[in-house]
Amino acid sequence: LRIQKITSTGFEVLLEAAKPKEHIHGSETVGFIAIPVGDGTIAGRKYHARLTPTEMTESWRTYSFPATSNPRVFAGMTHNGGNTANLRMKGLTGSSLQFRVHEP
């Protein structure tokens, strides 16, 4: 899934197979949730939404957030190139996690 051209009113999505020439499949359904950057509450649950620096690399980065019990993480990324890439996360605690971009 590639997301690009994000604006305050929409974005573009491209569904991409890992090996496009080897895999043909039927239609797909894409769902999304849009959350503004900042702190807020949705249905009584607090959230903390931030953007990373413009360029992420394959090096692990630590991201800290306000301490909470049992945090849930939702993350995605935009693509600025032709290579297939995935977002990897590890080390989730009540106040931080690590993430990086992985290009297989």
Side-chain angles (χ1 to χ4, degrees), residues 3 8 12 19 29 32 37 44-45 50 52 55 61 64 68 72-73 77 85 87-90 103:
I3 302 171
S8 61
E12 290 183 0
K19 297 179 181 177
T29 300
F32 68 92
V37 173
R45 301 220 182 235
R50 295 294 183 262
T52 63
E55 292 186 19
R61 287 185 179 217
S64 298
T68 185
R72 303 293 197 272
V73 177
M77 66 181 187
L87 187 61
R88 301 285 190 221
M89 293 183 283
K90 72 175 185 177
E103 291 184 359

Side-chain angles (χ1 to χ4, degrees), residues 1-3 12-18 20 25-31:
L1 179 70
R2 290 180 177 256
I3 302 171
E12 290 183 0
V13 175
L14 171 69
L15 298 176
E16 177 180 57
H25 55 83
S27 64
E28 300 275 350
T29 300
V30 175

Side-chain angles (χ1 to χ4, degrees), residues 21-57:
K21 294 180 182 178
E22 297 177 12
H23 186 70
I24 298 172
H25 55 83
S27 64
E28 300 275 350
T29 300
V30 175
F32 68 92
I33 182 170
I35 299 174
V37 173
D39 300 313
T41 304
I42 297 174
R45 301 220 182 235
K46 293 180 183 180
Y47 73 84
H48 178 74
R50 295 294 183 262
L51 296 175
T52 63
T54 302
E55 292 186 19
M56 292 296 301
T57 67

